[in-house]
Amino acid sequence: MTPAAPVSADRRIAILSDVAFSYNREVLRGIRRYATAYGPWTLRRSVFDPAIAPALVAWDAAGIISSVDRMDRLRAFLSLGVPVVNISHRVPGLPVPSVLSDDRLVGRLAADDLAGRGFRRFAYVSRAGPVY
């Protein structure tokens, strides 16, 4: 029996996400922790612009983790021929793996906590746009 081929010593992962949002910053922190524990990974963070695609190819990215917010961007990611993982709720039903929070469970936990503190009337208010 022959041994398995060695895994690349370094996995280059592009993180294409806007860190202006606290959710995305926390996701990035989690990715960094995972990369430290299970690496070696080299992470490259950027906001996706189609102009960066040649640089990702030249960098030899092994995969992309991104907040996919538009189908044209997903098509651009997929055209690079590397795996793509989505971390956004913005476009439902994407044909790529998505790692998302369970918003219904988060809402249930928040409501249970408030009810446990004696609150009987409460609401969630959000800006117009994506449903969170």
Side-chain angles (χ1 to χ4, degrees):
M1 186 164 146
T2 58
V7 175
S8 171
D10 179 36
R11 295 185 187 249
R12 296 174 178 195
I13 308 298
I15 313 294
L16 306 179
S17 184
D18 186 354
V19 294
F21 300 102
S22 62
Y23 173 82
N24 292 347
R25 287 192 303 272
E26 292 302 315
V27 168
L28 181 57
R29 274 193 196 107
I31 293 167
R32 284 182 182 149
R33 278 193 303 265
Y34 184 91
T36 299
Y38 298 100
W41 284 14
T42 299
L43 304 176
R44 179 177 184 167
R45 196 203 60 76
S46 177
V47 173
F48 187 75
D49 177 329
I52 197 174
L56 293 177
V57 170
W59 185 58
D60 196 26
I64 296 171
I65 299 172
S66 181
S67 297
V68 177
D69 60 353
R70 298 188 337 226
M71 284 303 294
D72 62 323
R73 289 186 178 169
L74 177 59
R75 284 190 289 277
F77 298 157
L78 293 172
S79 74
L80 300 178
V82 298
V84 176
V85 174
N86 173 48
I87 57 169
S88 171
H89 285 279
R90 303 255 330 183
V91 182
L94 293 173
V96 296
S98 294
V99 178
L100 308 170
S101 59
D102 183 337
D103 292 335
R104 289 178 194 254
L105 178 60
V106 170
R108 188 175 305 118
L109 290 170
D112 289 348
D113 180 67
L114 291 169
R117 295 168 187 254
F119 292 94
R120 296 292 172 246
R121 297 165 61 182
F122 41 88
Y124 172 77
V125 179
S126 176
R127 64 184 173 89
V131 177
Y132 295 106

